Amino acid sequence: MLSKEENILYAAEKLFAELGFEGTSTREIAKAANVNISMISYYFGSKEKLYEKLVEYRMNEGQFFSKDILERTDINEWEKIEKIVDQFSSRVRHHKCFYRIMQREQLHTKNPQIIEFLKQTKMGFIAMYSKILESGLEKGIFTKNPPIYLLHATVSGTLFYASNAKEMYKEFLNDTAEDEVFDEKYYTELNKHIKYLLKDLLGYEENK
């Protein structure tokens, strides 16, 4: 069962994604979370602090899987890349509201704390890819050394664009499957596509 604090966070996340930060009032958040408006002040202090807490909460979630994959010794460097793609894709798929907020923030935010969160997260991904790439090159698993910042841009850019365009593609394909069924097929194909691109960029061959 969700705590009141978590309930407020999740309600706010949906509203921020739909209406934007400026377009969302604390009264609307309180109503959606089914709490008294004073609870927002009690737990977070202000709408701005609630927003910052939401970003921090979701960003910190993402750091855990990154560190876990890096430290694994039972899989090789390519398999680590695959795990990153699978888990990143799963987060984008299952936390659509948050990533919609983040894409908007990258274009419009003036909040210095949000800017710092975004920067640190990107830097964390780039550092993670760098370590995996360096190790993979040393072992001969990878034969190409692409610009590391473009590697991250390839993964995140493709994921975000495809996720945002999913409904359009469903209509284009004239696919009448239930949303969950289409989602499963869509993200499976998307993951395969990203991995295919990365294999070429990294010079990885399956039979090595």
Side-chain angles (χ1 to χ4, degrees):
M1 186 175 178
L2 295 177
S3 67
K4 282 188 178 179
E5 186 175 3
E6 289 173 323
N7 196 33
I8 293 168
L9 277 174
Y10 297 154
E13 183 176 48
K14 290 179 182 177
L15 288 169
F16 289 147
E18 182 182 347
L19 305 172
F21 176 76
E22 296 296 339
T24 303
S25 69
T26 50
R27 190 172 299 280
E28 288 170 315
I29 294 169
K31 183 178 178 183
N34 197 27
V35 298
N36 190 291
I37 196 168
S38 63
M39 286 290 98
I40 294 175
S41 295
Y42 175 76
Y43 285 113
F44 303 101
S46 65
K47 187 176 76 166
E48 288 76 12
K49 293 297 181 185
L50 164 57
Y51 195 57
E52 289 171 6
K53 182 68 176 177
L54 170 64
V55 174
E56 182 182 11
Y57 176 73
R58 289 296 191 205
M59 291 296 192
N60 285 339
E61 280 184 331
Q63 297 305 312
F64 290 118
F65 82 76
S66 305
K67 291 173 184 174
D68 175 62
I69 290 169
L70 264 185
E71 292 166 3
R72 289 184 62 172
T73 57
D74 59 321
I75 57 177
N76 69 23
E77 281 70 14
W78 170 249
E79 290 167 323
K80 288 181 181 182
I81 292 286
E82 287 189 302
K83 293 284 185 189
I84 291 168
V85 171
D86 288 340
Q87 292 194 31
F88 194 5
S89 175
S90 178
R91 283 181 58 76
V92 171
R93 176 183 173 183
H94 294 106
H95 297 294
K96 293 183 180 74
C97 289
F98 178 69
Y99 283 100
R100 193 174 299 139
I101 293 168
M102 286 301 93
Q103 288 172 74
R104 185 185 293 130
E105 284 301 314
Q106 290 186 69
L107 296 173
H108 303 298
T109 191
K110 295 176 183 175
N111 182 317
Q113 192 161 346
I114 301 293
I115 290 170
E116 185 61 23
F117 281 139
L118 289 169
K119 185 180 83 172
Q120 290 304 320
T121 300
K122 288 178 183 177
M123 295 289 278
F125 267 111
I126 291 170
M128 177 174 61
Y129 288 128
S130 293
K131 288 179 182 177
I132 294 172
L133 179 57
E134 183 181 349
S135 178
L137 286 166
E138 285 178 2
K139 296 176 183 177
I141 292 171
F142 305 136
T143 60
K144 296 179 184 177
N145 188 9
I148 205 67
Y149 58 92
L150 293 180
L151 199 70
H152 177 53
T154 298
V155 177
S156 59
T158 304
L159 267 176
F160 293 148
Y161 183 89
S163 181
N164 290 336
K166 181 172 67 73
E167 294 304 320
M168 179 191 72
Y169 288 140
K170 188 171 192 253
E171 183 179 339
F172 172 76
L173 294 167
N174 197 26
D175 194 311
T176 57
E178 293 290 327
D179 284 347
E180 193 59 36
V181 174
F182 180 77
D183 259 26
E184 188 64 35
K185 180 172 71 173
Y186 186 76
Y187 281 95
T188 298
E189 290 177 350
L190 176 56
N191 286 9
K192 286 180 181 177
H193 176 71
I194 293 172
K195 290 171 188 175
Y196 178 81
L197 293 175
L198 293 178
K199 278 183 183 179
D200 186 57
L201 288 169
L202 295 167
Y204 173 76
E205 295 179 15
E206 293 277 6
N207 58 359
K208 281 194 172 186

